[in-house]
């Protein structure tokens, strides 16, 4: 009688009495957390504020002209080193807006403690949630849940700031050991939390902690017996949440985002009450998650969770093999030393400088004089416009020299390439005109460009002998 079992054993998280609302503020620690987790003005004004106001992700350019993270001189969160794979088709594999009806973020908290092949009501002893991103109030419900004998273990994800990479490695080993103990003690889920940072306690990148625990339990054949809940100040953008879910998290409480939203409401930067702004932010994350799932043709978050459909760009294989098993990192890159240092640079600032004066505009999304380097900057754009408007080839050569120099500064992976000079005799090389027959426009589908553009391309291909 499955329906009867579900009625008696399953409960909706949203239906559980929450009691007192939990305030999102961090009190006197607010600025220290803001600095330690490397928040910039852009994170607040360009990402979090629009999401809290409109319940939608902010719209930006598809082009990204800042250096690949591993080549940047600025510290980034570990999330930035990962890129999601996608279904490479011209039509979206799933349209997350028009086909939203067949997509869902619903999930269940409550591990499988019994034999999957047995038929008994314990299989549906679960807590159902419709949103995997929860506010502080519902997180307290999850943390204190004693429904049907549910239990959990809270594991802090910090490392000794004085010991750097060695401290990080030891802390990750300890976290994995505690997670395994939690399974052996028959807990239903573990809570990984980075609350409680201090001068000598730096936060472990939440993505690294989740993935390390996830793979450790897989290797110990215990992963199916427990769920992972994350309480972290680190995730702020939709992609951060997608990565955490993709590496095994079930529920995330981004408490720092809510603390920031409360500040924005209090200062009247957002013209809404806090509850509505917080609800909008969660809705924006949820919509963004559906969009990201759809790029790979996945329709449910339960299929996306732990799927690891990412590649690492700029992480050493020693790190991926140990903590992100199965993730491809084609070019290698940073190791534990650099990962620890990227965490410690902002963390030291939080406890050694005036944190009230440290909110920087990093210039990642738009050019800033002392911000991140952009390939399209005032100097390169001005030279290009000058040369083309005046038909000045000398100025164009100045422009070309500048962008070549900035590409190899380096700003892009291609800037690291050099070429072996291995000339082939000219008589063995095809005539220059022959390249024309290799031009193909078939992949430019009519749906993606106008009728006029399509016809112009067809005429051009006919004239040059392309396809």
């Amino acid at each position: 009688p499955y329906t009867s079992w579900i009625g008696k054993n399953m409960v909706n998280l949203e239906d559980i009495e929450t009691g007192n609302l939990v305030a999102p503020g961090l009190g006197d620690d607010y600025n220290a957390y803001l600095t330690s987790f490397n928040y910039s003005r852009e994170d607040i004004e360009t990402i979090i504020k629009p999401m809290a106001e409109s319940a939608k992700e902010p719209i930006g350019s598809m082009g990204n002209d800042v250096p690949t993270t591993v080549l940047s001189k600025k510290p980034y969160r570990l999330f930035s080193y990962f890129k999601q794979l996608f279904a490479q088709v011209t039509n979206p594999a799933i349209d997350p807006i028009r086909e939203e009806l067949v997509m869902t973020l619903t999930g269940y908290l409550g591990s499988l403690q019994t034999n999957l092949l047995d038929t008994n009501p314990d299989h549906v002893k679960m807590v159902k949630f419709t949103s995997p991103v929860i506010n502080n109030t519902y997180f307290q419900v999850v943390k204190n849940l004693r429904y049907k004998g549910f239990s959990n273990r809270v594991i802090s994800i910090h490392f000794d700031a004085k010991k750097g990479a060695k401290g990080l490695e030891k802390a990750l080993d300890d976290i994995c050991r505690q997670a395994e103990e939690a399974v052996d003690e028959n807990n239903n889920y573990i809570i990984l939390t980075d609350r409680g940072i201090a001068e000598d306690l730096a936060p472990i990148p939440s993505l690294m902690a989740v993935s390390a625990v996830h793979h450790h339990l897989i290797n110990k054949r215990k992963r199916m017996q427990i769920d992972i809940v994350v309480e972290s100040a680190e995730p702020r953008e939709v992609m951060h949440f997608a990565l955490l879910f993709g590496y095994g998290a079930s529920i995330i409480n981004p408490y720092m985002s809510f603390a920031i939203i409360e500040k924005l409401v209090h200062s009247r930067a957002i013209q809404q009450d806090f509850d509505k702004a917080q609800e909008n932010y969660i809705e924006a994350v949820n919509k963004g998650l559906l969009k990201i799932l759809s790029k790979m043709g996945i329709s449910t978050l339960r299929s996306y969770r732990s799927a690891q459909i990412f590649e690492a760009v700029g992480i050493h294989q020693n790190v991926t093999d140990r903590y992100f098993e199965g993730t491809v990192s084609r070019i290698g890159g940073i190791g534990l030393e650099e990962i620890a240092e990227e965490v410690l640079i902002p963390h030291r600032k939080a406890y050694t400088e005036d944190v009230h004066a440290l909110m920087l505009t990093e210039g990642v999304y738009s050019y800033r004089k002392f911000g991140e380097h952009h390939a399209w900057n005032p100097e390169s754009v001005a030279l290009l416009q000058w040369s083309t408007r005046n038909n000045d080839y000398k100025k164009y050569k100045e422009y070309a020299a500048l962008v070549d120099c900035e590409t190899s500064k380096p700003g892009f992976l291609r800037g690291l390439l050099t070429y072996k000079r291995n000339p082939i005799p000219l008589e063995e090389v095809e005539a220059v005109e022959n390249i024309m027959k290799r031009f193909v426009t078939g992949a430019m589908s009519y749906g993606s460009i106008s009728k006029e553009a399509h016809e112009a391309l067809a005429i051009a291909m006919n004239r040059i002998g392309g396809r």
Side-chain angles (χ1 to χ4, degrees):
Y2 299 115
T3 306
S4 156
W5 288 354
I6 290 171
K8 290 176 183 175
N9 290 284
M10 188 180 289
V11 65
N12 292 319
L13 180 61
E14 292 80 3
D15 294 340
I16 298 174
E17 288 293 327
T18 56
N20 296 327
L21 297 177
V22 179
L26 290 163
D28 295 338
D29 294 329
Y30 177 83
N31 285 301
Y33 273 76
L34 206 62
T35 308
S36 178
F37 285 93
N38 209 22
Y39 278 79
S40 70
R41 276 209 190 101
E42 275 189 322
D43 288 323
I44 295 171
E45 294 171 7
T46 309
I47 303 293
I48 295 173
K49 183 171 176 274
M51 290 168 76
E53 286 178 319
S54 65
K56 294 176 185 174
E57 270 189 287
I59 295 172
S61 164
M62 286 176 69
N64 186 6
D65 64 341
V66 299
T68 305
T69 308
V70 71
L71 304 179
S72 174
K73 293 180 180 177
K74 294 184 177 292
Y76 280 83
R77 308 315 290 180
L78 192 61
F79 297 120
S80 303
Y81 289 87
F82 291 81
K83 308 290 180 191
Q84 184 182 293
L85 306 173
F86 63 97
Q88 298 188 34
V89 292
T90 51
N91 305 18
I94 296 176
D95 185 325
I97 299 168
R98 292 165 190 83
E99 297 182 86
E100 191 177 10
L101 189 66
V102 295
M103 301 187 74
T104 182
L105 301 176
T106 297
Y108 301 89
L109 202 59
S111 52
L112 186 65
Q113 301 282 6
T114 56
N115 184 350
L116 180 65
L117 301 178
D118 286 345
T119 307
N120 66 63
D122 282 346
H123 285 325
V124 285
K125 195 168 75 175
M126 293 179 178
V127 176
K128 180 181 179 181
F129 54 87
T130 54
S131 170
V133 180
I134 58 174
N135 62 28
N136 294 5
T137 301
Y138 277 111
F139 175 72
Q140 289 305 312
V141 173
V142 169
K143 192 174 181 180
N144 299 304
L145 195 63
R146 297 295 176 264
Y147 168 78
K148 297 281 185 183
F150 268 36
S151 62
N152 65 71
R153 181 162 176 176
V154 179
I155 301 173
S156 293
I157 51 173
H158 304 117
F159 69 99
D160 189 332
K162 293 173 185 171
K163 293 183 179 177
K166 288 184 179 175
L168 176 59
E169 186 175 18
K170 180 181 181 301
L172 286 164
D173 289 343
D174 288 346
I175 290 165
C176 291
R177 177 184 50 76
Q178 290 180 62
E180 190 177 350
E181 286 173 3
V183 177
D184 295 340
E185 292 165 3
N186 292 323
N187 288 287
N188 298 81
Y189 51 96
I190 55 172
I191 297 172
L192 302 179
T193 178
D194 55 28
R195 276 189 188 265
I197 61 169
E199 187 171 356
D200 58 342
L201 282 179
I204 293 173
S206 52
L207 181 62
M208 199 170 203
V210 167
S211 185
V213 167
H214 173 68
H215 285 293
H216 177 77
L217 294 178
I218 287 174
N219 291 330
K220 295 293 181 180
R221 302 294 183 265
K222 297 178 180 180
R223 180 63 179 95
M224 290 292 287
Q225 293 162 249
I226 205 156
D227 286 320
I228 299 173
V229 175
V230 180
E231 181 189 28
S232 177
E234 201 176 18
R236 58 206 78 162
E237 301 179 24
V238 176
M239 188 60 189
H240 298 174
F241 293 93
L243 277 157
L244 288 168
F245 291 129
Y247 279 96
S250 291
I251 288 179
I252 301 169
N253 168 235
Y255 63 88
M256 192 69 217
S257 294
F258 300 136
I260 289 168
I261 290 167
E262 186 197 41
K263 285 273 186 186
L264 292 171
V265 170
H266 186 69
S267 65
R268 299 187 181 279
I270 293 177
Q271 301 295 317
Q272 288 171 345
D273 62 55
F274 171 71
D275 288 340
K276 180 61 178 171
Q278 178 179 246
E279 187 183 309
N280 283 347
Y281 177 79
I282 292 172
E283 187 180 342
V285 174
N286 288 344
K287 284 178 182 174
L289 285 169
L290 291 174
K291 177 195 72 178
I292 287 174
L293 264 62
S294 71
K295 289 181 180 180
M296 201 59 176
I298 293 173
S299 59
T300 70
L301 186 64
R302 294 178 76 197
S303 298
Y304 187 84
R305 185 177 293 115
S306 309
Q308 279 190 210
I309 48 175
F310 309 95
E311 65 173 337
V313 181
I315 297 180
H316 197 281
Q317 193 171 342
N318 291 350
V319 175
T320 52
D321 285 351
R322 185 165 178 185
Y323 301 111
F324 299 94
E325 197 174 329
T327 301
V328 174
S329 183
R330 290 181 175 85
I331 64 166
I334 63 170
L336 274 185
E337 291 277 350
E338 291 81 8
I339 291 171
E341 188 59 24
E342 284 205 294
V343 171
L344 290 171
I345 288 170
H347 185 74
R348 289 189 204 107
K349 282 185 184 177
Y351 292 95
T352 57
E353 298 181 30
D354 178 11
V355 290
H356 295 278
L358 281 173
M359 276 299 288
L360 303 173
T361 302
E362 291 291 359
V364 174
Y365 298 103
S366 54
Y367 176 84
R368 291 289 181 272
K369 188 173 182 181
F370 299 107
E372 182 60 272
H373 176 77
H374 282 258
W376 293 110
N377 53 61
E379 195 174 355
S380 62
V381 170
L383 279 170
L384 179 62
Q385 290 176 337
W386 189 349
S387 64
T388 52
R389 285 172 182 165
N390 297 314
N391 197 21
D392 187 335
Y393 186 63
K394 187 178 176 184
K395 276 292 167 207
Y396 174 79
K397 294 295 281 184
E398 280 183 44
Y399 158 76
L402 176 71
V403 294
D404 284 347
C405 177
E406 289 187 345
T407 297
S408 60
K409 199 169 203 177
F412 300 97
L413 292 176
R414 64 175 182 268
L416 301 176
L417 294 173
T418 56
Y419 298 92
K420 287 183 179 178
R421 299 298 172 190
N422 185 21
I424 298 169
L426 271 179
E427 56 271 16
E428 293 180 24
V429 180
E430 279 188 289
V432 68
E433 296 80 15
N434 283 5
I435 196 172
M436 301 286 197
K437 67 185 181 187
R438 295 184 173 84
F439 286 7
V440 180
T441 61
M444 299 183 191
S445 58
Y446 182 44
S448 67
I449 55 177
S450 68
K451 177 175 182 284
E452 293 80 5
H454 212 261
E455 290 174 354
L457 284 164
I459 291 167
M461 288 302 104
N462 285 333
R463 284 183 185 170
I464 69 172
R467 295 169 68 189

